[in-house]
Amino acid sequence: MTFFEFWSFIITPPPNFTKEGRKVGDSSLYEVWLADELETRELSRTVRVLLLVFSFIECAALLAMTYATILDHLWGLIFFLSVNFLFTSVWSLLNRPAVMWLFMLLWWPLCPFIVPSLVDSAVATDQLVGPEILIAFMVLLRILNFAQQLILMVVGFLLPPLDKFGKKHVLNDKFYNQVIESLFVYFLSYQVHFYMAIVLNLINLAVAIVILVFEVTLGLHSWVMLNSNLGGGVFK
């Protein structure tokens, strides 16, 4: 897959699954990771409880080990999360316009520039707050993961996938899918995959450019991969 093909795969906006059904394909990053999330429907109640316990222990450990000055940034991140909740809700009500989806994805990269002004301790100290915001964001993701596991466990207990005759509850299954997709977007699971995919694509492009430069100037790639007689590049 080329750089532009992968870029198109990353930025393709999600279709309206609520109206079109739950047929998830693999034509975009959103669909691929949503399909992975939907597989959690098959988890048993015991596994759900264990995931919730592990998530709680993880959150408690992170909160206990993180400095209070770093946790102060959580208030600014909660503001960003609240705005994200608002725009995601409006985006869903408006049948998921692509322009609004792009704006939502550009919202979170503004954190390093806005969050410090929302936190008194960051303004009072003249220091680099980027790493602190990153750590606070990781803590926020763990908290959201705990909340997500809690919601999925409660929904799983209230809406069993099978009735007393062992047949699948179609309405329960559809509602559970909608809950999973909502948490996937509202609790930043998709956004994390989106930004990581962009970073990987840029790294892939940078490596390709470096290899191209070495190949044109020194023929290093051909010398290593093919034949030593092909080395030299423009200096041969």
Side-chain angles (χ1 to χ4, degrees):
M1 185 178 292
T2 65
F3 172 83
F4 294 104
E5 289 174 342
F6 191 46
W7 180 259
S8 177
F9 172 79
I10 294 172
I11 66 173
T12 299
N16 196 326
F17 287 109
T18 303
K19 293 184 178 180
E20 298 177 4
R22 310 307 306 180
K23 295 181 179 180
V24 182
D26 57 358
S27 60
S28 67
L29 183 78
Y30 184 94
E31 291 179 313
V32 169
W33 282 109
L34 178 60
D36 185 73
E37 291 288 331
L38 291 175
E39 291 181 0
T40 60
R41 293 173 300 180
E42 311 300 328
L43 296 178
S44 65
R45 292 179 175 179
T46 302
V47 174
R48 284 287 180 203
V49 173
L50 290 175
L51 288 175
L52 181 64
V53 172
F54 291 148
S55 180
F56 174 78
I57 295 174
E58 185 180 37
C59 284
L62 281 175
L63 291 173
M65 293 185 298
T66 307
Y67 289 110
T69 53
I70 296 178
L71 294 179
D72 286 342
H73 295 290
L74 282 176
W75 298 110
L77 293 175
I78 290 174
F79 165 76
F80 266 74
L81 184 65
S82 301
V83 175
N84 182 81
F85 272 39
L86 175 62
F87 277 103
T88 303
S89 301
V90 175
W91 169 73
S92 299
L93 291 174
L94 297 179
N95 200 24
R96 303 183 172 188
V99 175
M100 193 170 184
W101 178 252
L102 178 62
F103 176 79
M104 290 163 52
L105 294 175
L106 294 176
W107 171 241
W108 283 98
L110 298 176
C111 276
F113 307 100
I114 299 179
V115 169
S117 63
L118 301 175
V119 181
D120 294 336
S121 61
V123 176
T125 58
D126 186 15
Q127 59 181 356
L128 184 64
V129 296
E132 294 185 353
I133 294 176
L134 179 60
I135 295 173
F137 183 72
M138 294 173 62
V139 174
L140 177 64
L141 290 179
R142 293 301 89 198
I143 295 175
L144 292 175
N145 179 65
F146 170 74
Q148 179 176 346
Q149 298 300 333
L150 178 61
I151 294 173
L152 291 177
M153 187 193 72
V154 172
V155 173
F157 274 90
L158 295 178
L159 299 175
L162 302 176
D163 58 21
K164 61 181 179 179
F165 302 106
K167 297 181 180 179
K168 176 177 281 190
H169 280 295
V170 178
L171 293 179
N172 287 2
D173 186 63
K174 182 179 179 180
F175 178 76
Y176 197 63
N177 289 343
Q178 293 173 348
V179 171
I180 291 176
E181 184 177 3
S182 297
L183 296 175
F184 177 64
V185 177
Y186 280 90
F187 284 13
L188 307 183
S189 296
Y190 168 70
Q191 286 85 337
V192 171
H193 293 308
F194 175 83
Y195 298 130
M196 290 302 299
I198 289 181
V199 171
L200 290 176
N201 201 28
L202 293 177
I203 292 175
N204 182 56
L205 176 63
V207 172
I209 292 175
V210 170
I211 292 176
L212 179 62
V213 171
F214 276 110
E215 176 64 21
V216 172
T217 57
L218 302 174
L220 185 61
H221 182 263
S222 298
W223 179 75
V224 174
M225 302 299 297
L226 299 176
N227 192 312
S228 59
N229 295 326
L230 297 177
V234 295
F235 301 106
K236 185 174 180 180

